[in-house]
Amino acid sequence: MYENLMEEVVSPENYGKALKAVVANDGSPGVDGMTTKELSGHLLEHWEKIQAKLMAGSYIPSPVKRKEIRKENGGGMRKLGIPTVVDRFIQQMLLQAMTPIWEPRFSEHSYGFRPGRQAADAVRAAQGYATKGRDWVVDIDITKFFDHVNWDILMGKLGEVIRDKRVLKLIGKYLRAGIMTDGIVVKSVEGTPQGGPLSPLLANIYLDGLDRELERRGHQFSRYADDCNIYVGSQAAGERVMESIQGWIEKHLRLEVNAKKSGVGRTWERKFLGFRLNRARQIEAAPESLERFKAKVREKWRSGQSLTSNQLRDNWRQYIRGWWGYYRLAENRRPITRLEGWIRRHIRACFWQRWHEPKGRERNLRKLGLTGRELKVAQSSRGAWHLAKTGSIHKALSNANLRRYGFLMASDLAGN
Protein backbone atom coordinates (compact mmCIF):
# COMPACT_ATOMS: atom_id res chain seq x y z
CA MET A 1 0.00 0.00 0.00
CA TYR A 2 2.58 2.55 -1.15
CA GLU A 3 4.95 2.12 1.78
CA ASN A 4 7.93 3.57 -0.14
CA LEU A 5 6.26 6.45 -1.93
CA MET A 6 8.88 9.01 -0.89
CA GLU A 7 11.45 7.29 -3.11
CA GLU A 8 9.18 7.96 -6.07
CA VAL A 9 8.54 11.54 -4.93
CA VAL A 10 12.26 12.45 -4.97
CA SER A 11 13.19 10.45 -8.07
CA PRO A 12 15.18 12.28 -10.78
CA GLU A 13 12.34 11.93 -13.32
CA ASN A 14 9.78 13.38 -10.89
CA TYR A 15 12.24 16.16 -9.97
CA GLY A 16 12.58 17.25 -13.60
CA LYS A 17 8.83 17.27 -14.29
CA ALA A 18 8.09 19.19 -11.08
CA LEU A 19 10.74 21.84 -11.73
CA LYS A 20 9.44 22.39 -15.26
CA ALA A 21 5.85 22.71 -14.01
CA VAL A 22 6.63 25.18 -11.20
CA VAL A 23 8.75 27.40 -13.45
CA ALA A 24 6.06 27.35 -16.16
CA ASN A 25 3.31 28.28 -13.67
CA ASP A 26 5.44 31.16 -12.33
CA GLY A 27 3.46 32.99 -9.63
CA SER A 28 4.33 35.28 -6.73
CA PRO A 29 7.23 34.62 -4.35
CA GLY A 30 6.51 33.20 -0.90
CA VAL A 31 7.68 34.51 2.46
CA ASP A 32 11.38 34.18 1.52
CA GLY A 33 11.07 36.33 -1.61
CA MET A 34 12.58 33.72 -3.93
CA THR A 35 11.20 33.78 -7.50
CA THR A 36 10.65 30.84 -9.83
CA LYS A 37 13.55 32.09 -11.96
CA GLU A 38 15.87 31.53 -9.00
CA LEU A 39 14.54 28.07 -8.18
CA SER A 40 16.69 26.00 -10.54
CA GLY A 41 19.94 27.53 -9.31
CA HIS A 42 18.87 27.15 -5.68
CA LEU A 43 18.09 23.46 -6.17
CA LEU A 44 21.41 22.82 -7.92
CA GLU A 45 23.11 24.06 -4.78
CA HIS A 46 20.83 22.71 -2.07
CA TRP A 47 18.85 19.75 -3.46
CA GLU A 48 21.09 17.10 -1.92
CA LYS A 49 20.36 18.42 1.60
CA ILE A 50 16.66 18.93 0.88
CA GLN A 51 16.37 15.42 -0.53
CA ALA A 52 18.09 13.92 2.52
CA LYS A 53 15.64 15.69 4.84
CA LEU A 54 12.67 14.49 2.79
CA MET A 55 13.94 10.92 2.89
CA ALA A 56 14.53 11.15 6.64
CA GLY A 57 11.15 12.73 7.29
CA SER A 58 12.75 15.81 8.87
CA TYR A 59 11.98 18.47 6.25
CA ILE A 60 10.12 21.50 7.69
CA PRO A 61 8.07 23.64 5.27
CA SER A 62 7.95 27.43 5.53
CA PRO A 63 4.74 29.26 6.44
CA VAL A 64 2.64 30.41 3.49
CA LYS A 65 2.22 34.07 2.59
CA ARG A 66 -1.30 35.44 2.91
CA LYS A 67 -2.72 36.95 -0.26
CA GLU A 68 -6.31 38.06 -0.78
CA ILE A 69 -8.00 38.36 -4.15
CA ARG A 70 -11.51 39.53 -4.86
CA LYS A 71 -13.94 36.75 -5.70
CA GLU A 72 -15.38 36.89 -9.22
CA ASN A 73 -18.93 36.71 -7.89
CA GLY A 74 -18.38 39.83 -5.79
CA GLY A 75 -18.84 37.86 -2.58
CA GLY A 76 -15.89 39.29 -0.68
CA MET A 77 -12.26 38.24 -0.73
CA ARG A 78 -10.74 34.82 -1.36
CA LYS A 79 -7.82 34.05 0.95
CA LEU A 80 -4.86 32.40 -0.73
CA GLY A 81 -1.79 30.94 0.91
CA ILE A 82 1.29 31.30 -1.30
CA PRO A 83 4.03 28.75 -0.44
CA THR A 84 7.69 29.47 -1.13
CA VAL A 85 8.83 28.30 -4.55
CA VAL A 86 10.82 25.47 -2.92
CA ASP A 87 7.69 24.29 -1.13
CA ARG A 88 5.68 24.66 -4.35
CA PHE A 89 8.29 22.44 -6.00
CA ILE A 90 8.05 19.79 -3.26
CA GLN A 91 4.24 19.93 -3.32
CA GLN A 92 4.34 19.52 -7.09
CA MET A 93 6.51 16.41 -6.67
CA LEU A 94 3.99 15.04 -4.15
CA LEU A 95 1.14 15.85 -6.53
CA GLN A 96 2.79 14.04 -9.44
CA ALA A 97 3.48 10.94 -7.34
CA MET A 98 0.03 10.85 -5.74
CA THR A 99 -2.18 11.64 -8.74
CA PRO A 100 -1.77 8.23 -10.43
CA ILE A 101 -2.67 6.58 -7.12
CA TRP A 102 -5.87 8.53 -6.54
CA GLU A 103 -7.16 9.16 -10.06
CA PRO A 104 -8.51 5.61 -10.62
CA ARG A 105 -10.28 5.82 -7.25
CA PHE A 106 -12.18 9.04 -7.93
CA SER A 107 -15.80 9.18 -9.05
CA GLU A 108 -16.81 9.70 -12.67
CA HIS A 109 -19.03 12.52 -11.38
CA SER A 110 -16.00 14.53 -10.15
CA TYR A 111 -14.53 17.00 -12.67
CA GLY A 112 -12.49 19.63 -10.85
CA PHE A 113 -8.67 19.67 -10.88
CA ARG A 114 -8.36 16.33 -12.62
CA PRO A 115 -6.24 15.42 -15.67
CA GLY A 116 -8.24 15.51 -18.90
CA ARG A 117 -11.33 16.98 -17.21
CA GLN A 118 -12.61 20.53 -17.08
CA ALA A 119 -15.55 22.68 -16.10
CA ALA A 120 -17.15 22.25 -19.53
CA ASP A 121 -17.41 18.49 -18.93
CA ALA A 122 -19.21 19.07 -15.62
CA VAL A 123 -21.71 21.43 -17.26
CA ARG A 124 -22.35 19.04 -20.17
CA ALA A 125 -22.96 16.22 -17.68
CA ALA A 126 -25.51 18.44 -15.93
CA GLN A 127 -27.18 19.11 -19.27
CA GLY A 128 -27.42 15.37 -19.88
CA TYR A 129 -29.29 14.83 -16.61
CA ALA A 130 -31.67 17.72 -17.35
CA THR A 131 -32.53 16.49 -20.84
CA LYS A 132 -33.53 13.14 -19.31
CA GLY A 133 -36.12 14.85 -17.14
CA ARG A 134 -34.08 15.60 -14.03
CA ASP A 135 -34.44 19.35 -14.37
CA TRP A 136 -34.73 20.16 -10.66
CA VAL A 137 -31.35 20.85 -9.12
CA VAL A 138 -30.12 20.61 -5.55
CA ASP A 139 -27.45 23.30 -5.53
CA ILE A 140 -25.04 22.79 -2.61
CA ASP A 141 -22.65 25.54 -1.54
CA ILE A 142 -20.19 24.66 1.23
CA THR A 143 -19.18 27.55 3.45
CA LYS A 144 -15.47 28.38 2.98
CA PHE A 145 -14.62 24.78 2.15
CA PHE A 146 -10.83 25.14 1.86
CA ASP A 147 -10.68 26.99 5.19
CA HIS A 148 -12.56 24.27 7.07
CA VAL A 149 -11.16 20.96 5.84
CA ASN A 150 -10.85 18.77 8.94
CA TRP A 151 -7.28 17.49 9.25
CA ASP A 152 -8.15 14.30 11.11
CA ILE A 153 -10.66 13.26 8.46
CA LEU A 154 -8.26 14.15 5.60
CA MET A 155 -5.26 12.38 7.13
CA GLY A 156 -7.44 9.35 7.84
CA LYS A 157 -8.46 9.15 4.18
CA LEU A 158 -4.83 9.50 3.07
CA GLY A 159 -3.70 6.85 5.54
CA GLU A 160 -6.18 4.31 4.13
CA VAL A 161 -4.16 4.24 0.91
CA ILE A 162 -0.67 5.61 1.62
CA ARG A 163 1.40 3.83 4.27
CA ASP A 164 4.65 5.77 3.80
CA LYS A 165 4.82 7.66 7.11
CA ARG A 166 7.31 10.15 5.67
CA VAL A 167 4.81 11.28 3.03
CA LEU A 168 1.94 11.44 5.51
CA LYS A 169 4.09 13.36 7.97
CA LEU A 170 5.17 15.83 5.28
CA ILE A 171 1.58 16.48 4.20
CA GLY A 172 0.64 17.01 7.83
CA LYS A 173 3.44 19.56 8.17
CA TYR A 174 2.18 21.43 5.13
CA LEU A 175 -1.28 21.59 6.67
CA ARG A 176 0.14 22.92 9.96
CA ALA A 177 2.77 25.26 8.45
CA GLY A 178 0.75 28.36 9.33
CA ILE A 179 0.22 31.68 7.58
CA MET A 180 2.50 34.69 7.75
CA THR A 181 0.67 38.01 7.93
CA ASP A 182 2.55 41.27 8.57
CA GLY A 183 5.60 39.33 9.67
CA ILE A 184 3.71 37.23 12.23
CA VAL A 185 3.09 33.50 11.75
CA VAL A 186 -0.46 32.50 12.63
CA LYS A 187 -0.94 28.78 13.24
CA SER A 188 -3.90 27.01 11.66
CA VAL A 189 -6.07 24.31 13.23
CA GLU A 190 -7.97 23.27 10.09
CA GLY A 191 -8.13 23.88 6.36
CA THR A 192 -5.83 23.51 3.38
CA PRO A 193 -4.68 26.90 2.00
CA GLN A 194 -5.55 27.61 -1.62
CA GLY A 195 -2.47 28.54 -3.58
CA GLY A 196 -0.27 25.45 -3.38
CA PRO A 197 -0.16 22.72 -6.06
CA LEU A 198 -1.25 20.01 -3.61
CA SER A 199 -4.44 21.65 -2.25
CA PRO A 200 -6.76 20.73 -5.18
CA LEU A 201 -5.85 17.04 -4.93
CA LEU A 202 -6.35 17.07 -1.15
CA ALA A 203 -9.76 18.71 -1.71
CA ASN A 204 -10.81 15.93 -4.10
CA ILE A 205 -9.61 13.26 -1.68
CA TYR A 206 -11.63 14.88 1.09
CA LEU A 207 -14.80 15.23 -0.98
CA ASP A 208 -14.56 11.76 -2.52
CA GLY A 209 -16.57 10.55 0.47
CA LEU A 210 -19.45 12.79 -0.61
CA ASP A 211 -19.24 11.41 -4.15
CA ARG A 212 -19.42 7.84 -2.86
CA GLU A 213 -22.39 8.62 -0.63
CA LEU A 214 -24.29 10.23 -3.51
CA GLU A 215 -23.50 7.24 -5.72
CA ARG A 216 -24.62 4.84 -2.99
CA ARG A 217 -27.96 6.64 -2.91
CA GLY A 218 -28.28 6.42 -6.69
CA HIS A 219 -28.19 10.17 -7.36
CA GLN A 220 -27.23 11.84 -10.63
CA PHE A 221 -24.83 14.67 -9.84
CA SER A 222 -21.94 16.75 -11.09
CA ARG A 223 -19.20 18.02 -8.79
CA TYR A 224 -16.42 20.47 -9.60
CA ALA A 225 -14.26 20.95 -6.47
CA ASP A 226 -16.66 22.21 -3.80
CA ASP A 227 -19.43 23.09 -6.30
CA CYS A 228 -21.87 20.17 -6.30
CA ASN A 229 -25.23 19.98 -8.08
CA ILE A 230 -27.59 17.01 -7.73
CA TYR A 231 -30.29 16.52 -10.39
CA VAL A 232 -33.72 15.15 -9.46
CA GLY A 233 -37.18 14.90 -10.99
CA SER A 234 -39.28 17.09 -8.72
CA GLN A 235 -39.20 19.89 -6.18
CA ALA A 236 -40.30 17.56 -3.39
CA ALA A 237 -37.46 15.16 -4.18
CA GLY A 238 -35.03 18.06 -4.28
CA GLU A 239 -36.07 19.33 -0.86
CA ARG A 240 -35.76 15.84 0.65
CA VAL A 241 -32.30 15.38 -0.86
CA MET A 242 -31.15 18.82 0.29
CA GLU A 243 -32.14 18.17 3.89
CA SER A 244 -30.64 14.69 3.94
CA ILE A 245 -27.34 15.54 2.23
CA GLN A 246 -26.88 18.69 4.27
CA GLY A 247 -27.09 16.59 7.42
CA TRP A 248 -24.66 14.03 6.01
CA ILE A 249 -22.10 16.69 5.08
CA GLU A 250 -22.25 18.30 8.51
CA LYS A 251 -21.94 14.96 10.31
CA HIS A 252 -19.41 13.09 8.20
CA LEU A 253 -17.29 15.89 6.70
CA ARG A 254 -17.77 18.40 9.52
CA LEU A 255 -18.50 21.13 7.01
CA GLU A 256 -21.27 23.70 6.95
CA VAL A 257 -23.65 24.10 4.02
CA ASN A 258 -24.30 27.75 3.23
CA ALA A 259 -28.08 28.05 3.56
CA LYS A 260 -28.20 31.45 1.79
CA LYS A 261 -26.32 30.29 -1.32
CA SER A 262 -27.65 26.72 -1.48
CA GLY A 263 -31.12 25.89 -2.70
CA VAL A 264 -33.50 23.81 -4.79
CA GLY A 265 -34.79 25.12 -8.12
CA ARG A 266 -35.19 24.49 -11.82
CA THR A 267 -32.03 24.39 -13.86
CA TRP A 268 -32.77 27.82 -15.34
CA GLU A 269 -33.11 29.27 -11.84
CA ARG A 270 -29.75 28.04 -10.51
CA LYS A 271 -26.26 28.58 -11.89
CA PHE A 272 -23.41 26.07 -12.09
CA LEU A 273 -19.81 27.11 -12.75
CA GLY A 274 -20.96 30.39 -14.31
CA PHE A 275 -23.54 28.76 -16.59
CA ARG A 276 -27.18 27.78 -16.44
CA LEU A 277 -29.48 25.57 -18.50
CA ASN A 278 -32.36 27.54 -20.00
CA ARG A 279 -35.89 26.20 -20.49
CA ALA A 280 -34.83 24.61 -23.78
CA ARG A 281 -32.02 22.81 -21.87
CA GLN A 282 -29.41 24.86 -23.72
CA ILE A 283 -26.23 25.91 -21.98
CA GLU A 284 -25.90 29.67 -21.62
CA ALA A 285 -23.94 32.14 -19.51
CA ALA A 286 -25.71 32.73 -16.21
CA PRO A 287 -27.16 36.23 -15.68
CA GLU A 288 -24.78 36.74 -12.74
CA SER A 289 -21.83 35.93 -15.02
CA LEU A 290 -22.99 38.50 -17.55
CA GLU A 291 -23.33 41.14 -14.82
CA ARG A 292 -19.74 40.46 -13.70
CA PHE A 293 -18.66 40.68 -17.34
CA LYS A 294 -20.37 44.06 -17.70
CA ALA A 295 -18.65 45.32 -14.56
CA LYS A 296 -15.32 44.26 -16.07
CA VAL A 297 -16.14 46.08 -19.32
CA ARG A 298 -16.76 49.30 -17.36
CA GLU A 299 -13.48 48.80 -15.52
CA LYS A 300 -11.46 48.08 -18.67
CA TRP A 301 -12.81 51.14 -20.50
CA ARG A 302 -12.49 53.79 -17.81
CA SER A 303 -11.01 56.80 -19.56
CA GLY A 304 -8.88 57.96 -16.64
CA GLN A 305 -6.39 55.08 -16.78
CA SER A 306 -2.75 56.03 -17.36
CA LEU A 307 -2.42 53.66 -20.31
CA THR A 308 -1.79 54.20 -23.99
CA SER A 309 -4.49 53.37 -26.52
CA ASN A 310 -2.54 50.28 -27.55
CA GLN A 311 -2.27 49.16 -23.94
CA LEU A 312 -6.01 49.60 -23.44
CA ARG A 313 -6.61 47.53 -26.56
CA ASP A 314 -4.13 44.81 -25.61
CA ASN A 315 -5.53 44.52 -22.08
CA TRP A 316 -9.01 44.18 -23.53
CA ARG A 317 -7.92 41.59 -26.07
CA GLN A 318 -6.26 39.51 -23.37
CA TYR A 319 -9.36 39.68 -21.19
CA ILE A 320 -11.94 38.95 -23.90
CA ARG A 321 -9.91 36.03 -25.24
CA GLY A 322 -9.74 34.48 -21.76
CA TRP A 323 -13.40 35.17 -21.04
CA TRP A 324 -14.56 33.77 -24.36
CA GLY A 325 -12.23 30.79 -24.00
CA TYR A 326 -14.38 29.78 -21.03
CA TYR A 327 -17.86 30.93 -22.11
CA ARG A 328 -17.66 29.70 -25.68
CA LEU A 329 -19.31 26.56 -24.24
CA ALA A 330 -22.60 28.49 -24.33
CA GLU A 331 -25.02 27.15 -26.94
CA ASN A 332 -27.38 30.10 -26.64
CA ARG A 333 -25.05 33.02 -27.34
CA ARG A 334 -27.64 35.74 -27.87
CA PRO A 335 -27.30 37.15 -24.33
CA ILE A 336 -23.57 37.57 -25.04
CA THR A 337 -23.75 38.99 -28.55
CA ARG A 338 -26.52 41.42 -27.52
CA LEU A 339 -23.95 43.16 -25.31
CA GLU A 340 -21.53 43.93 -28.13
CA GLY A 341 -23.13 47.21 -29.19
CA TRP A 342 -23.09 48.31 -25.55
CA ILE A 343 -19.39 47.36 -25.25
CA ARG A 344 -18.47 49.32 -28.39
CA ARG A 345 -20.32 52.33 -27.00
CA HIS A 346 -18.11 52.12 -23.89
CA ILE A 347 -15.02 52.00 -26.11
CA ARG A 348 -16.16 55.02 -28.12
CA ALA A 349 -17.02 56.98 -24.98
CA CYS A 350 -13.63 56.12 -23.49
CA PHE A 351 -11.72 57.45 -26.51
CA TRP A 352 -13.88 60.56 -26.72
CA GLN A 353 -12.97 61.43 -23.12
CA ARG A 354 -9.28 60.64 -23.70
CA TRP A 355 -9.17 63.12 -26.60
CA HIS A 356 -9.86 65.79 -23.94
CA GLU A 357 -10.55 69.15 -25.64
CA PRO A 358 -12.18 70.19 -28.97
CA LYS A 359 -8.85 70.59 -30.84
CA GLY A 360 -7.69 67.12 -29.86
CA ARG A 361 -11.08 65.64 -30.71
CA GLU A 362 -11.16 67.29 -34.14
CA ARG A 363 -7.61 66.17 -34.88
CA ASN A 364 -8.41 62.54 -34.04
CA LEU A 365 -11.70 62.59 -35.90
CA ARG A 366 -9.90 63.85 -39.03
CA LYS A 367 -7.41 60.98 -38.72
CA LEU A 368 -10.37 58.62 -38.65
CA GLY A 369 -11.80 60.03 -41.87
CA LEU A 370 -14.38 62.65 -40.82
CA THR A 371 -14.63 65.86 -42.87
CA GLY A 372 -16.70 69.05 -43.12
CA ARG A 373 -19.88 69.25 -41.06
CA GLU A 374 -19.14 65.86 -39.51
CA LEU A 375 -16.38 67.54 -37.47
CA LYS A 376 -18.83 69.83 -35.65
CA VAL A 377 -19.32 67.11 -33.08
CA ALA A 378 -15.85 67.98 -31.76
CA GLN A 379 -17.31 71.21 -30.32
CA SER A 380 -20.19 69.48 -28.55
CA SER A 381 -20.55 69.87 -24.81
CA ARG A 382 -22.77 66.81 -24.49
CA GLY A 383 -21.54 63.90 -22.37
CA ALA A 384 -19.35 61.14 -23.74
CA TRP A 385 -21.96 58.41 -23.25
CA HIS A 386 -24.52 60.37 -25.30
CA LEU A 387 -22.05 61.31 -28.06
CA ALA A 388 -20.78 57.72 -28.34
CA LYS A 389 -24.14 56.87 -29.88
CA THR A 390 -24.18 59.66 -32.48
CA GLY A 391 -23.68 59.12 -36.21
CA SER A 392 -20.38 61.01 -36.44
CA ILE A 393 -18.66 59.01 -33.68
CA HIS A 394 -20.14 55.81 -35.07
CA LYS A 395 -18.64 56.62 -38.45
CA ALA A 396 -15.21 57.52 -37.04
CA LEU A 397 -15.08 54.54 -34.66
CA SER A 398 -17.18 52.23 -36.78
CA ASN A 399 -17.43 48.52 -36.08
CA ALA A 400 -15.15 47.90 -39.04
CA ASN A 401 -12.59 50.45 -37.84
CA LEU A 402 -12.60 49.02 -34.33
CA ARG A 403 -12.06 45.54 -35.75
CA ARG A 404 -9.28 46.78 -38.02
CA TYR A 405 -7.46 48.28 -35.05
CA GLY A 406 -7.85 45.05 -33.08
CA PHE A 407 -10.74 45.81 -30.71
CA LEU A 408 -12.20 42.30 -30.73
CA MET A 409 -15.62 41.08 -29.56
CA ALA A 410 -16.70 37.57 -28.64
CA SER A 411 -18.36 37.15 -32.05
CA ASP A 412 -15.01 37.86 -33.72
CA LEU A 413 -13.51 34.97 -31.77
CA ALA A 414 -16.43 32.56 -32.20
CA GLY A 415 -15.07 31.13 -35.44
CA ASN A 416 -11.55 30.58 -34.09
Side-chain angles (χ1 to χ4, degrees):
M1 294 291 285
Y2 305 102
E3 294 178 354
N4 298 302
L5 185 59
M6 186 59 82
E7 279 75 6
E8 185 176 336
V9 170
V10 300
S11 68
E13 182 182 359
N14 203 40
Y15 173 109
K17 286 172 60 180
L19 179 58
K20 185 177 180 180
V22 172
V23 171
N25 288 336
D26 200 7
S28 304
V31 295
D32 62 357
M34 186 187 299
T35 67
T36 54
K37 292 179 180 178
E38 299 171 293
L39 177 60
S40 182
H42 179 84
L43 290 175
L44 283 174
E45 185 176 352
H46 299 286
W47 173 240
E48 190 174 331
K49 292 179 181 178
I50 295 171
Q51 183 183 34
K53 288 180 180 180
L54 291 170
M55 291 292 289
S58 60
Y59 179 82
I60 300 176
S62 300
V64 298
K65 183 171 72 174
R66 169 65 78 217
K67 182 177 180 180
E68 295 188 352
I69 60 171
R70 189 166 298 282
K71 292 183 179 180
E72 287 189 2
N73 61 10
M77 305 298 288
R78 187 184 305 280
K79 294 180 179 179
L80 301 182
I82 309 300
T84 64
V85 291
V86 172
D87 283 325
R88 293 212 289 273
F89 167 71
I90 295 171
Q91 286 193 31
Q92 182 67 31
M93 288 199 298
L94 285 168
L95 174 67
Q96 292 168 182
M98 291 170 62
T99 295
I101 297 170
W102 287 98
E103 264 301 305
R105 301 169 188 270
F106 286 149
S107 167
E108 284 299 307
H109 299 276
S110 166
Y111 295 92
F113 310 121
R114 295 184 60 189
R117 289 175 164 240
Q118 54 188 342
D121 300 319
V123 176
R124 289 193 188 100
Q127 183 183 38
Y129 303 139
T131 55
K132 292 176 182 177
R134 295 175 180 263
D135 58 1
W136 284 87
V137 58
V138 181
D139 184 358
I140 296 174
D141 183 277
I142 297 174
T143 302
K144 296 183 178 179
F145 165 72
F146 284 92
D147 293 339
H148 296 302
V149 166
N150 181 279
W151 293 347
D152 290 338
I153 294 175
L154 175 59
M155 295 307 298
K157 291 179 180 295
L158 289 166
E160 291 173 2
V161 177
I162 297 172
R163 298 297 171 84
D164 190 325
K165 293 183 179 179
R166 297 166 299 179
V167 171
L168 294 174
K169 187 177 178 181
L170 179 59
I171 294 173
K173 287 178 180 178
Y174 274 118
L175 293 174
R176 297 189 301 272
I179 298 161
M180 182 172 284
T181 305
D182 298 327
I184 300 172
V185 177
V186 180
K187 292 295 182 182
S188 304
V189 294
E190 61 181 359
T192 172
Q194 296 181 75
L198 194 57
S199 289
L201 176 62
L202 296 181
N204 275 333
I205 292 170
Y206 195 87
L207 290 171
D208 186 61
L210 174 61
D211 297 340
R212 297 308 171 190
E213 179 63 18
L214 293 173
E215 288 176 344
R216 188 186 69 78
R217 298 184 185 196
H219 288 311
Q220 301 296 308
F221 67 98
S222 185
R223 182 178 68 79
Y224 190 95
D226 56 332
D227 287 322
C228 183
N229 279 4
I230 306 165
Y231 296 85
V232 297
S234 69
Q235 182 177 5
E239 290 172 352
R240 286 196 303 271
V241 170
M242 173 62 82
E243 183 179 0
S244 175
I245 291 298
Q246 180 174 347
W248 189 92
I249 289 171
E250 291 171 354
K251 179 180 179 181
H252 294 278
L253 297 182
R254 299 184 195 174
L255 296 169
E256 180 183 347
V257 174
N258 189 324
K260 290 183 178 180
K261 294 184 178 181
S262 301
V264 176
R266 306 304 285 269
T267 56
W268 52 88
E269 297 172 335
R270 310 295 302 187
K271 63 181 176 66
F272 184 45
L273 302 176
F275 295 93
R276 72 170 181 181
L277 299 172
N278 62 25
R279 292 174 185 268
R281 312 299 187 267
Q282 293 175 310
I283 298 169
E284 63 182 27
E288 299 92 331
S289 301
L290 294 177
E291 287 303 313
R292 290 198 296 274
F293 175 67
K294 288 166 70 175
K296 205 70 176 180
V297 169
R298 296 185 188 100
E299 177 188 321
K300 292 287 183 186
W301 293 107
R302 284 186 297 107
S303 62
Q305 300 176 77
S306 56
L307 299 172
T308 66
S309 298
N310 285 344
Q311 287 171 328
L312 284 172
R313 178 201 62 198
D314 293 345
N315 286 351
W316 168 251
R317 284 167 64 95
Q318 182 181 20
Y319 173 73
I320 192 63
R321 284 184 185 278
W323 191 89
W324 179 247
Y326 186 80
Y327 284 99
R328 69 185 307 151
L329 176 67
E331 295 166 334
N332 176 23
R333 296 175 175 178
R334 287 190 299 276
I336 296 172
T337 55
R338 276 199 298 261
L339 290 175
E340 295 194 349
W342 177 83
I343 295 169
R344 291 190 183 97
R345 189 174 176 184
H346 269 280
I347 295 173
R348 292 174 182 125
C350 175
F351 279 106
W352 179 261
Q353 289 174 312
R354 286 168 65 87
W355 292 338
H356 299 302
E357 75 292 325
K359 285 185 178 179
R361 289 166 179 167
E362 183 175 335
R363 182 173 62 252
N364 282 285
L365 291 172
R366 284 185 186 279
K367 287 180 182 178
L368 290 165
L370 295 198
T371 58
R373 293 176 60 84
E374 296 171 327
L375 294 170
K376 284 190 174 182
V377 70
Q379 308 298 323
S380 176
S381 59
R382 299 294 296 270
W385 186 246
H386 169 82
L387 291 170
K389 203 174 181 180
T390 61
S392 296
I393 305 303
H394 257 267
K395 181 178 178 180
L397 294 171
S398 65
N399 294 0
N401 268 347
L402 290 174
R403 262 192 212 97
R404 184 162 55 250
Y405 286 108
F407 295 91
L408 300 177
M409 298 292 135
S411 59
D412 299 317
L413 301 168
N416 294 346

